[in-house]
Structures are given as C-alpha cells and as structure tokens.
Amino acid sequence: MTRRLLLFFSILILAAVLVTRAQVLASPEQPVAFNHQIHAQAGVQCLFCHSSALRADIAGIPSMQKCMGCHTIIATDNVAVQVLTSYWKRKEPIPWVRVSWQPEFVYFSHQAHLRTGENCETCHGDVGRMPLTRPAVKMDMGWCLDCHLLQPEEKVVRLADCLTCHK
Amino acid sequence: MVMDANLSVETSRRWVLVVDLDRCTGCQACVVACHAENNVPVVGEKQAGYGRWMHWIIIQRYWEGEYPNVKARFMPVMCQQCTEAPCEPVCPVFATYHNEEGLNAQIYNRCIGTRFCGSACPYKVRTYNWYAPEFPEPLTEQLNPDVTVRTRGIMEKCTFCIQRIRRIEIDAHAAGRIPADGEIQPACVQTCPSNGLFFGNLDDPDSQVSQLARGRRSFRLLPELGTEPGVIYLKGGETNV
C-alpha cells in the first residue's frame, strides 16, 4: 500500500514538474502571428529590428513604423500582415506578449553581454528557426551563473557578485 | 572582446561618499532626490511617529552654543557602507554581504525580514518595510525601473545608487575607458545645492574624495566601533547656518 502511494505521488510530482516546464517553455499567444523564421530567412538581421541591444539595457521591440516601412509593400496579402496593417490603421500599438523576461529585482543589460561577444542565440536559442517565438531556456539564476562562473578567474569575482545582477 | 582586459572591471575600487558638514544647510534636497531615485516609499506622519520612516538619508539636527548664540548644525546620515559591517554577520540568509568594491550590499529578494541587521546597525540607517509600499497615482509613473520596488517585510538601505555606478561603468566600458573621477554621481551628490557631497574611489590616491579624506577636517562616524565606514565626514570651520 505504502509503495503504491509512493509511486502515485512520485508520478504526480513528475507530472507537475513536466507540466510546469512545458508551460515555462511554451510560446505565448501573440496578438499578431509574427514569424521570426520567415524574417530570418529573408536575411533580416536581429539588430535591424531589435536595434537597442548594442547600446542599451533592453533590446527593444521595433516600432510599428519599422514594421510598416516594409509591410506597406511586402507580403501585403499575408493574413498576419493584414492584422498588423489593421492595427496601424487604427493607430493602436500591438500589445505584444513578452517571451523572455526577468523578474523585477534582476538587472540585465543586453549591451554588456553583446560587448563580450555573445550572440543572441546563446540565450534566446535559434529564434531564426522558430515560426512561433518561444523561450529557449528557463532563464533562472542557476542558468546565468552556469556561464558567469566559467569566465576568466579575474572576472568571476565580479560576475559572481550578487550586486552585478540584483538591484 | 579583448579591450576590457585592463579596464575598470579589474581595477580596485572602494567607493566612498564624502559629506562636508560645513557646507550642509539641512535643506533635505538629498533626501528628496534619494526618494525619487530609489523608489523609497513615504509612510506618513503616524507611522513615522512610531519610528517607521523609510528615508535612506536622515538629516540629524544638532543645536550648538548657548542662547542667544545658538546655531543649528546638520548631519546627513546614510548607510555608512562599513568595511567591517555589523549588519553582515547577523543575517541568517546572507541577504546582506560585502562586495569587492567595498559596498555593503542588500539583496532584496533574498531578505526574509528578520531585522537582525537593523538591530545590529550602530548608525540606525536600515529601514524596514512594515507595509506594502504605496505610491499614489501618478507617482507610479515616476518609479525608477533600475531599482526594485521593495515589498512588505524586507529591509532596505542606501546602496550608494549602485544602479548609477553600474550604468556609468557599462557606458564607460563600452567607450573603452574607465569612469572619470566624479563621473559617477549618486542622486544625493547630484542634487546637493551647496555641493557638500562628493563621491568617488578611495583606492585612487588622486581622486577628489581621497584628497578630501586625507584632509585635516575629515572624520568618520563612531570610529571607536571599528566599523571603518565608507562615508567620510568633514567638519572644521564655523558655519552660520
């Protein structure tokens, strides 16, 4: 009896862990079915749209103006583009749902990371092959430290300091 | 990239704040600036009466002399960022610790609110969130995104505006240089109308704070405790405040 109970609870816990993980790594539903894959295949660089990444903390979401700069002409028969255009005509911003995020007590700078030669893919996964954008990893503190602790010894002191990332 | 091999990240730093008491007029502009920069809540008159104010800087007032020749002297007291901080060893969860830059850090999401650190602090500059912070509209629009809005039940205190230090360092680093002396300014230093506050690196012997710290007027608060504070006060001349 005890053994069966134990088995039952282990399966329950395992299922809960798997469900949570699947939820964390699921792609959130977006107001516009934006496809990173198509854009990457068309040769659009990450930094063309997320242009603040090199010089600011946040990478930034492109403005509607940037979207419409191309999409007044390109792929106007696409359903997603038509949804985009309808937002543009109504003069409403698109309420994008954040995919990768940090809790509010965490300080993160894209600028500082790109300067050290990191690629977008290191943290965000192969977004260029994601029709629907989803988080590639669970961005928790252990995952940050996995990389920070592997840096040269003289930098680890600083990179493992709580105040470097906590605010 | 290789350019950061010899830059600021590896140079030694000991951040200090110099407070010139001969210049302080007790105007409390630093307190206001601190509230705005660091999302410090206001608890109201009643709670302040219980000693639950949240100011990270407290302007202490002293009367000097006998009537009718009385003078008011002011002393801004903020976290002294002690080298041997009494608050650090008492924290059961290591929410407060000492970092390489000589800063006494408080990691908010780790704090469980035992308030041991507040009891151990001889300067009484740590404040506790007795209630969830309230920022009436439209004040929520001016909250600093670089600083956590602390929740109920945790300790907080002056950080020397770590978010500003970090910002300047990252920007300077990107430009391939080290931050110049005086470039990093905490909100209080930037605001002080009588230029009575100075911030800089004590490990750099040529910095303005090092020169002021070597001066005859410099002293530290409660030096007999051996806490070796990172806030250096200057007092010497007469003032007519």
Side-chain angles (χ1 to χ4, degrees), chain B residues 2-152:
Chain B
V2 283
M3 68 176 186
D4 52 63
N6 296 313
L7 284 178
S8 66
V9 168
E10 277 72 50
T11 52
S12 87
R13 282 155 305 166
R14 170 64 170 115
W15 300 121
V16 292
L17 183 67
V18 172
V19 183
D20 192 338
L21 298 180
D22 296 335
R23 285 185 177 183
C24 180
T25 61
C27 71
Q28 309 237 17
C30 52
V31 180
V32 176
C34 180
H35 269 264
E37 172 74 19
N38 293 301
N39 305 337
V40 181
V42 177
V43 293
E45 199 176 344
K46 187 181 169 207
Q47 295 300 324
Y50 291 133
R52 294 173 181 174
W53 58 80
M54 301 294 295
H55 312 304
W56 286 6
I57 307 174
I58 302 155
I59 309 286
Q60 297 182 354
R61 186 197 58 200
Y62 299 95
W63 295 114
E64 240 175 40
E66 291 292 318
Y67 181 82
N69 295 316
V70 185
K71 285 172 188 164
R73 294 296 299 253
F74 301 99
M75 183 172 206
V77 179
M78 62 296 285
C79 173
Q80 304 286 305
Q81 310 283 352
C82 308
T83 312
E84 302 291 334
C87 53
E88 288 166 8
V90 296
C91 180
V93 292
F94 303 100
T96 181
Y97 75 102
H98 219 72
N99 87 346
E100 288 296 308
E101 299 166 30
L103 291 178
N104 173 249
Q106 176 79 13
I107 306 301
Y108 300 124
N109 60 312
R110 187 166 253 202
C111 178
I112 57 170
T114 62
R115 292 186 284 136
F116 292 168
C117 54
S119 307
C121 176
Y123 305 102
K124 291 287 163 272
V125 286
R126 284 174 162 270
T127 60
Y128 184 70
N129 285 276
W130 289 92
Y131 300 96
E134 282 174 23
F135 295 96
E137 293 292 338
L139 285 181
T140 46
E141 301 294 324
Q142 61 101 56
L143 291 174
N144 187 350
D146 292 335
V147 182
T148 316
V149 177
R150 279 80 56 187
T151 50
R152 176 175 162 269

Side-chain angles (χ1 to χ4, degrees), chain A residues 55-57 104-107 109 111-112 114-117 141 154-155 157-158 160-167, chain B residues 1 3-4 9-10 13 97 99-101 103 105 107-109 145-146 148-149 162 166-167 169-171 173-174:
Chain A
R55 51 175 195 274
D57 292 348
E104 70 146 17
F105 49 77
V106 171
Y107 173 78
S109 170
Q111 182 193 19
L114 286 181
R115 204 182 54 231
T116 59
M141 187 173 126
E154 71 275 9
K155 289 186 179 173
V157 176
R158 167 131 177 163
D161 184 11
C162 310
L163 269 189
T164 304
C165 312
H166 284 278
K167 62 180 189 185
Chain B
M1 286 179 214
M3 68 176 186
D4 52 63
V9 168
E10 277 72 50
R13 282 155 305 166
Y97 75 102
N99 87 346
E100 288 296 308
E101 299 166 30
L103 291 178
I107 306 301
Y108 300 124
N109 60 312
D146 292 335
T148 316
V149 177
I162 178 70
R166 218 191 275 117
R167 178 80 264 149
E169 277 185 338
I170 287 176
D171 286 349
H173 215 169

